[in-house]
Amino acid sequence: MIKIPSAQQIRELDALTIAEEPVSSIDLMERAARAVAAEVMLRWDATVPVFVFAGSGNNGGDALAVARMLSEAQYQVTAFLFNTGGRLSQDCAINKGRLLNGSAVHFTEVTSTFEPPAIPADALILDGLFGTGLNKTLNGGFASLVKFINSCHVPVVSIDMPSGLMCEENTYNVRAHIVRATLTLTFQLPKLALLLVDNQVFVGELKVLDIGLLARGIEEMHTEMEMLEMQDVCAMLKPRPPFGHKGIFGHALLVAGKYGMAGAAILAAKACLRSGVGKVTVHTPFGNNDILQVAVPEAILSHDKDNRVFTEPVPTDMYAAVGVGPGIGVLPETSLAFIEQVRRTRVPLVIDADGLNILAEHKGWMQQVPKHSIMTPHPAEFRRLGNKSIDSYSTLAEARDMAERQQLYIVLKGHPTAICTPEGRVFFNPTGNSGMATAGSGDVLTGIIVALLAQKYSAEKACCLGVYLHGLAGDLAAGELGEYGMTASDLIAFLPAAFEHLRKNTHERKGK
């Protein structure tokens, strides 16, 4: 797992590295600057004029060091150091001195009035005004400077954080006072704000640079939020017994699809069948019989007594896992059948789509959802379920609180998807792409997770493995088809390849 630290933990990790490596703070800054300079030189050649905007703290020190390194590599560099308070951090002051000592950088220290330069259309801006230490909204001259940077319409590389963006909460930040980076080069570990969808307009492309912070410090650091890695999910994947039969791989029940929404049932059922389950039963109105029998001949059908909607719960004694909600609608009779189904279910349960919408309309029913059930809302569905969500940070915070309070797993879908556990932990998923932002993708995810539960994966592993596979299938589909034309059915088509990708990686790791 890749840990996601707080701003305070980042400072502590820097200090621990300096004390125990040991390395001086200025040499650690030099190491970070070399990593940034190398990435810049990899992407832009020396014909591109570079304009560096440096603050008076250590982020500014990083920026001045990068300016010097680029100049030494024959880049034309113009640097502005904003020292309006008359105080530079010690390492920033050292890097200012190094820059002035024989460097070809065109350097200006701004102590009062700033005259914005003319930025040519082929230029690159390096943003090193504020890093992870920022804890309040920018205003005054720095807000104006950010607006100037954003008005230049050239690529912007932000060092560690886009200036103006705080590491965690930005709910009440002023969005016009945050740099809109093309590329954010953050150090060692991702920060929470860099992963939230509301902030993607500021972050641009995100790359984490290894600057050699103390490995033991990272290992011993306790964080409640982490990013999944392939090695984590490979370790979760169970081998298929060579003499296995369908009886040992579980029987899943999907309650899905009112009349006119048979597609939701088809997608969930197909995804479930493509995810290793032994058998799948779909409970659906009789009006969907013909299309489901033709579209998913491998599925068993259970017919509701109503021809058009779900109106009667299904006994769950013969099933290993249940998924309810895709395409069932929210009519009163369906809502009553839904909560009765939830009450009766004594096996692992996944609630999605209209099941979530029903709970949003009857919030008192949340108390009847069995502990350790899995809910898979996208942000809009969750905001209807909750009470306090106004942006991606508050949505995540409320989902995490609800998961802990109600003892549920909440899979907050998006890019990246966040899995909130009953213990208060959050796992972010790195796989997936914008081609998956299409109708039916959520139904596919429901089918995958229910299949894994039916195969006796724990709820946590079913969530983590299911979300990773879902996104990996999307990435494989995008690699073959491109993101523009993808459909949810493409995710199902690439699920076998996603499983095989993990299986091969698991085998290779064991062979080492």
Side-chain angles (χ1 to χ4, degrees):
M1 301 275 186
I2 299 173
K3 296 181 178 181
I4 301 170
S6 66
Q8 177 60 32
Q9 287 177 311
I10 295 164
R11 289 190 288 272
E12 292 170 356
L13 183 58
D14 283 345
L16 190 65
T17 302
I18 290 165
E20 296 199 14
E21 185 173 332
V23 61
S24 67
S25 60
I26 190 65
D27 287 342
L28 184 59
M29 182 176 285
E30 194 78 358
R31 189 189 296 173
R34 278 198 301 271
V36 172
E39 191 66 31
V40 170
M41 288 188 280
L42 186 66
R43 296 170 182 248
W44 290 274
D45 62 37
T47 64
V48 176
V50 180
F51 289 78
V52 177
F53 295 91
S56 60
N58 284 348
N59 195 248
D62 292 330
L64 294 179
V66 175
R68 167 171 44 85
M69 294 171 186
L70 292 177
S71 178
E72 290 169 352
Q74 306 307 310
Y75 285 73
Q76 292 184 337
V77 182
T78 302
F80 294 88
L81 172 59
F82 292 85
N83 186 17
T84 54
R87 295 187 306 275
L88 300 177
S89 73
Q90 182 179 359
D91 290 342
C92 185
I94 291 172
N95 268 314
K96 172 190 168 183
R98 289 177 176 179
L99 193 69
L100 293 174
N101 186 21
S103 167
V105 173
H106 186 274
F107 176 76
T108 302
E109 185 167 358
V110 179
T111 57
S112 56
T113 304
F114 171 59
E115 293 294 336
I119 306 287
D122 62 343
L124 171 69
I125 289 176
L126 192 66
D127 159 37
L129 293 170
F130 297 94
T132 58
L134 187 70
N135 58 14
K136 62 181 179 180
T137 299
L138 296 183
N139 53 39
F142 281 111
S144 298
L145 177 56
V146 166
K147 290 178 180 178
F148 167 72
I149 291 171
N150 290 341
S151 72
C152 290
H153 304 296
V154 299
V156 177
V157 175
S158 286
I159 299 175
D160 214 6
M161 296 287 291
S163 291
L165 190 69
M166 290 172 275
C167 267
E168 284 95 37
E169 183 173 6
N170 289 273
T171 302
Y172 300 106
N173 206 341
V174 179
R175 295 176 69 81
H177 297 177
I178 304 172
V179 166
R180 296 184 174 229
T182 311
L183 169 67
T184 298
L185 300 174
T186 200
F187 296 140
Q188 201 66 52
L189 296 167
K191 288 76 184 176
L192 176 60
L194 301 177
L195 303 176
L196 300 179
V197 66
D198 293 351
N199 299 332
Q200 294 311 299
V201 67
F202 309 118
V203 176
E205 179 189 348
L206 174 64
K207 183 162 186 180
V208 180
L209 300 180
D210 185 348
I211 62 168
L213 295 182
L214 193 68
R216 182 178 63 79
I218 296 171
E219 185 178 338
E220 293 177 357
M221 177 193 301
H222 172 72
T223 62
E224 292 175 330
M225 299 189 187
E226 296 174 299
M227 177 80 76
L228 294 170
E229 295 184 275
M230 180 177 286
Q231 64 195 47
D232 303 315
V233 291
C234 283
M236 296 175 191
L237 187 65
K238 296 178 181 181
R240 299 276 289 188
F243 297 102
H245 54 84
K246 65 184 178 183
I248 71 169
F249 294 117
H251 188 175
L253 170 68
L254 293 168
V255 179
K258 66 177 181 178
Y259 185 74
M261 290 291 287
I266 291 168
L267 291 168
K270 282 187 171 183
C272 197
L273 288 160
R274 286 287 190 187
S275 298
V277 75
K279 292 188 288 184
V280 175
T281 291
V282 181
H283 182 77
T284 196
F286 185 78
N288 288 335
N289 180 77
D290 292 355
I291 187 171
L292 277 163
Q293 291 281 31
V294 173
V296 198
E298 301 90 346
I300 303 163
L301 291 192
S302 164
H303 298 127
D304 197 277
K305 64 182 179 183
D306 193 281
N307 197 49
R308 303 179 68 84
V309 295
F310 168 49
T311 63
E312 56 181 354
V314 183
T316 61
D317 297 347
M318 63 184 291
Y319 303 107
V322 174
V324 58
I328 62 173
V330 294
L331 290 175
E333 56 267 44
T334 296
S335 297
L336 291 172
F338 163 80
I339 193 58
E340 189 60 30
Q341 182 72 68
V342 167
R343 287 195 197 103
R344 290 188 184 186
T345 298
R346 296 291 182 268
V347 294
L349 173 67
V350 180
I351 300 174
D352 184 35
D354 283 328
L356 300 170
N357 293 329
I358 291 169
L359 287 174
E361 291 182 1
H362 305 84
K363 291 184 179 178
W365 290 357
M366 279 290 294
Q367 305 303 320
Q368 301 181 56
V369 176
K371 289 182 178 180
H372 299 104
S373 295
I374 298 169
M375 295 168 56
T376 59
H378 56 62
E381 287 170 335
F382 184 78
R383 284 168 189 159
R384 291 194 288 271
L385 276 172
N387 299 301
K388 300 174 281 190
S389 303
I390 58 175
D391 67 349
S392 55
Y393 178 86
S394 59
T395 299
L396 177 63
E398 189 172 8
R400 184 179 171 195
D401 176 69
M402 184 183 292
E404 196 168 7
R405 188 178 66 252
Q406 301 286 141
Q407 289 294 287
L408 302 171
Y409 290 87
I410 298 179
V411 178
L412 195 59
K413 295 182 289 197
H415 189 59
T417 289
I419 300 159
C420 304
T421 76
E423 295 77 32
R425 300 180 71 195
V426 178
F427 301 108
F428 286 95
N429 176 57
T431 59
N433 59 79
S434 66
M436 299 171 68
T438 184
S441 288
D443 303 323
V444 172
L445 178 61
T446 296
I448 297 169
I449 294 176
V450 172
L452 294 173
L453 290 172
Q455 293 168 78
K456 302 199 181 309
Y457 284 85
S458 70
E460 183 173 301
K461 288 182 177 179
C463 289
C464 292
L465 181 57
V467 167
Y468 193 97
L469 281 163
H470 183 247
L472 180 57
D475 289 340
L476 294 171
E480 190 84 16
L481 308 170
E483 295 180 11
Y484 286 90
M486 283 170 57
T487 67
S489 294
D490 296 324
L491 306 182
I492 299 168
F494 280 88
L495 266 174
F499 272 97
E500 189 64 7
H501 186 80
L502 291 188
R503 188 195 65 80
K504 285 181 177 178
N505 274 275
T506 303
H507 181 73
E508 287 171 6
R509 289 177 188 279
K510 287 180 178 178
K512 289 182 179 178

